[in-house]
Amino acid sequence: GAGVSQSPSNKVTEKGKDVELRCDPISGHTALYWYRQSLGQGLEFLIYFQGNSAPDKSGLPSDRFSAERTGGSVSTLTIQRTQQEDSAVYLCASSPRQGPQETQYFGPGTRLLVL
Amino acid sequence: AQSVTQLGSHVSVSEGALVLLRCNYSSSVPPYLFWYVQYPNQGLQLLLKYTSAATLVKGINGFEAEFKKSETSFHLTKPSAHMSDAAEYFCAVIDYSSASKIIFGSGTRLSIRP
């Protein structure tokens, strides 16, 4: 079946502009995660959605970052007033449900470059 | 809190040789441990996971890992390396005190020499 998809695959933007990154999780998966992979910080957690519960935003690095998940499916990560340090690969993952034993399936990522 | 440490940012082996990638974990509770692989310009793919059912875990592509509580280790091995194994490998642990998010190690880049 279809895996996690993300768009765009690559995004180049100018400093100060806003960007939106999209994630389509595997159909039926209730848990959705965003991670960031950067040279300086490695792979780090950003935000988590589970069903209709309030998201866990504990990993968001600043208030310029926000995310939403509409209808319990598609999620959008928005970065406002982008900075050069936001350049990274943004990875989305989904799992059938929340729980430590659940496998998280990752999308191919969106590579963001802020000039 | 849970964490993982990967020893060696880069490992190089000859084709056909044993692959050993080291990972040590720290956890105050029984851990859930994973190995993920990332091929160049691709996303993360699960190799294998330990969820306390068996200490020796077999994964895809001939990889396996052994959970050793006494050594707090979860090293990844493969008896015979193949050129296609060249990739970056991440050891990870679930932080199930917080949304079951994954905490990743810093990664080990595996190179295969012909």
Side-chain angles (χ1 to χ4, degrees), chain B residues 23-95:
Chain B
C23 173
N24 288 89
Y25 70 89
S26 174
S27 179
S28 56
V29 294
Y32 289 89
L33 294 160
F34 302 77
W35 277 98
Y36 280 88
V37 60
Q38 187 175 36
Y39 297 102
N41 299 314
Q42 294 188 28
L44 290 164
Q45 181 180 3
L46 180 69
L47 269 179
L48 49 82
K49 66 178 179 181
Y50 168 76
T51 58
S52 77
T55 57
L56 182 62
V57 183
K58 294 187 183 297
I60 62 172
N61 302 337
F63 284 93
E64 63 182 36
E66 186 171 9
F67 174 75
K68 291 187 177 181
K69 184 177 180 180
S70 61
E71 299 177 7
T72 62
S73 69
F74 190 57
H75 301 331
L76 182 71
T77 60
K78 182 174 180 177
S80 178
H82 192 273
M83 296 299 291
S84 61
D85 295 327
E88 185 135 20
Y89 293 78
F90 294 92
C91 181
V93 66
I94 286 288
D95 177 6

Side-chain angles (χ1 to χ4, degrees), chain A residues 3-18:
Chain A
V4 178
S5 60
Q6 294 186 244
S7 60
S9 54
N10 290 281
K11 177 71 176 179
V12 180
T13 190
E14 295 178 350
K15 178 182 174 181
K17 300 277 184 157
D18 297 353

Side-chain angles (χ1 to χ4, degrees), chain A residues 34-36 41 43-48 55-63 65-66 77 90, chain B residues 98-99 101:
Chain A
W34 283 96
Y35 295 86
R36 178 170 71 173
Q41 302 298 323
L43 272 159
E44 55 181 344
F45 165 81
L46 295 177
I47 188 169
Y48 158 75
D56 179 339
K57 305 179 182 180
S58 59
L60 295 179
S62 78
D63 58 8
F65 287 72
S66 63
L77 177 69
Y90 290 82
Chain B
S98 175
K101 66 187 182 190

Side-chain angles (χ1 to χ4, degrees), chain A residues 25 28-33 48-51 69 93-99:
Chain A
H29 282 196
T30 62
L32 186 148
Y33 302 78
Y48 158 75
F49 296 90
Q50 170 58 39
R69 189 178 184 191
S94 71
S95 64
R97 61 197 65 82
Q98 190 270 345

